[in-house]
């Protein structure tokens, strides 16, 4: 059960409870947990995993508590195919938000390892997206996230998961700006993913990639002007009203 008044102190109580359970070498227990077989636990995990994304937009504290509960369920009853992609990846991102990058990075590594072990190909794109957009860049160079995010786009498309294909493409395009790739390559990749998201009919993420593309264009072409996001790819004055309504 969740507390009727799910204030911040409840969330931090659950986080510190979880950190105690995973303290030191105990964190490796996530890799050796048995398979979840309890039908009630499986049903609860499925409900939490299905509703957590919607909860994120309604109440981030509630969504955070749901993530912690999913991990606690997995520790108590064993690993389910949903455990890595929504439980462990989610808690790694949550730990990053409170500055515990070391624990988060370790959980992120375990998440990828477990996802490969469990299989569940339909969940792999989401796992790659979460770990490489929320976690990995805090401890590793952003370059290390590029190939996994690009792979997440491909896997998501193969599984018909257009939403996470779009999310992964957008974060990949953003991370390209912080990478050590040449601007010519960044611009080329941006154009490819703008075209992809146009075909997938994901307008919001496509517009963000156009914004990133304009930044790269400004840096590579002095004629575009370096200080204003107004150019051939993106016009901030025209787009701000659009973003405000989104």
């Amino acid at each position: 059960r969740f507390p009727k008044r799910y204030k911040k102190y409840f969330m931090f109580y659950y986080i510190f409870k979880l950190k105690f359970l995973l303290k030191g070498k105990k964190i490796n227990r996530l890799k050796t947990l048995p398979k979840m077989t309890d039908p009630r636990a499986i049903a609860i995990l499925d409900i939490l995993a299905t509703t957590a994304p919607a909860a994120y937009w309604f109440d981030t504290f509630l969504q955070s508590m749901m993530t912690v509960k999913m991990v606690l369920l997995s520790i108590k009853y064993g690993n389910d195919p949903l455990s890595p992609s929504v439980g462990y990846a989610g808690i790694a991102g949550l730990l990053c938000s409170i500055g515990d990058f070391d624990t988060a990075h370790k959980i992120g590594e375990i998440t990828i390892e477990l996802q490969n072990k469990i299989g569940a190909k339909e969940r792999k794109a989401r796992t790659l997206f979460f770990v490489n957009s929320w976690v990995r860049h805090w401890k590793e160079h952003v370059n290390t996230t590029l190939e996994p995010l690009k792979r997440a786009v491909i896997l998501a498309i193969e599984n018909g998961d257009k939403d996470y294909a779009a999310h992964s493409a957008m974060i990949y395009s953003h991370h390209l700006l912080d990478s050590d790739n040449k601007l010519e390559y960044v611009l080329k990749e941006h154009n490819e993913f703008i075209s992809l998201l146009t075909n997938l009919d994901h307008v919001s993420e496509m517009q963000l990639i156009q914004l990133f593309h304009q930044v790269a264009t400004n840096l590579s072409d002095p004629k575009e002007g370096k200080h204003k996001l107004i150019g051939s790819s993106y016009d901030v004055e025209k787009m701000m009203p659009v973003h405000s309504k989104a």
Side-chain angles (χ1 to χ4, degrees), residues 81-99:
L82 290 172
S83 298
S85 61
V86 292
Y88 303 149
I91 203 64
L94 183 57
L95 289 172
C96 284
S97 73
I98 61 172

Side-chain angles (χ1 to χ4, degrees), residues 136-147:
R136 198 170 184 181
H137 62 282
W138 292 105
K139 295 288 290 184
E140 300 179 47
H141 196 287
V142 73
N143 283 0
T144 63
T145 69
L146 297 178
E147 188 278 330

Side-chain angles (χ1 to χ4, degrees), residues 115-154:
Q115 189 65 68
N116 291 333
K117 179 181 177 182
I118 292 174
K121 186 180 178 182
E122 69 280 3
R123 307 296 307 184
K124 191 169 184 178
R126 298 190 179 203
T127 304
L128 289 171
F129 166 75
F130 289 134
V131 172
N132 289 282
S133 60
W134 294 352
V135 180
R136 198 170 184 181
H137 62 282
W138 292 105
K139 295 288 290 184
E140 300 179 47
H141 196 287
V142 73
N143 283 0
T144 63
T145 69
L146 297 178
E147 188 278 330
L149 284 169
K150 202 168 185 178
R151 188 151 37 99
V153 175
I154 296 169

Side-chain angles (χ1 to χ4, degrees), residues 5-187:
R5 296 183 179 180
Y6 38 84
K7 301 298 182 183
K8 288 184 181 180
Y9 55 85
F10 282 113
M11 184 186 74
F12 285 114
Y13 164 76
Y14 284 118
I15 290 174
F16 284 114
K17 178 180 179 180
L18 184 60
K19 288 183 68 173
F20 174 78
L21 292 172
L22 300 176
K23 187 177 181 181
K25 293 183 179 180
K26 292 179 183 178
I27 198 170
N28 290 311
R29 70 189 293 193
L30 297 177
K31 296 190 289 186
T32 58
L33 291 172
K35 181 180 179 181
M36 185 182 290
T37 57
D38 185 284
R40 184 172 179 272
I42 293 172
I44 293 172
L45 186 66
D46 185 56
I47 292 170
L48 289 171
T50 303
T51 55
Y56 175 83
W57 299 106
F58 170 71
D59 189 321
T60 54
F61 289 120
L62 175 60
Q63 189 268 343
S64 297
M65 289 175 59
M66 293 169 76
T67 300
V68 174
K69 282 287 190 179
M70 285 188 275
V71 176
L72 292 174
L73 271 173
S74 298
I75 291 173
K76 185 175 181 178
Y77 294 101
N79 281 324
D80 180 83
L82 290 172
S83 298
S85 61
V86 292
Y88 303 149
I91 203 64
L94 183 57
L95 289 172
C96 284
S97 73
I98 61 172
D100 190 353
F101 304 121
D102 291 333
T103 304
H105 187 262
K106 181 61 178 175
I107 292 176
E109 291 181 324
I110 291 172
T111 299
I112 297 296
E113 184 179 340
L114 263 176
Q115 189 65 68
N116 291 333
K117 179 181 177 182
I118 292 174
K121 186 180 178 182
E122 69 280 3
R123 307 296 307 184
K124 191 169 184 178
R126 298 190 179 203
T127 304
L128 289 171
F129 166 75
F130 289 134
V131 172
N132 289 282
S133 60
W134 294 352
V135 180
R136 198 170 184 181
H137 62 282
W138 292 105
K139 295 288 290 184
E140 300 179 47
H141 196 287
V142 73
N143 283 0
T144 63
T145 69
L146 297 178
E147 188 278 330
L149 284 169
K150 202 168 185 178
R151 188 151 37 99
V153 175
I154 296 169
L155 288 170
I157 291 173
E158 288 177 353
N159 292 315
D161 192 348
K162 294 195 296 182
D163 288 344
Y164 277 86
H167 298 337
S168 300
M170 186 269 290
I171 296 295
Y172 170 77
S173 300
H174 184 197
H175 283 193
L176 274 172
L177 286 175
D178 297 321
S179 73
D180 60 8
N181 286 286
K182 292 183 177 181
L183 285 170
E184 292 82 0
Y185 176 78
V186 173
L187 291 167

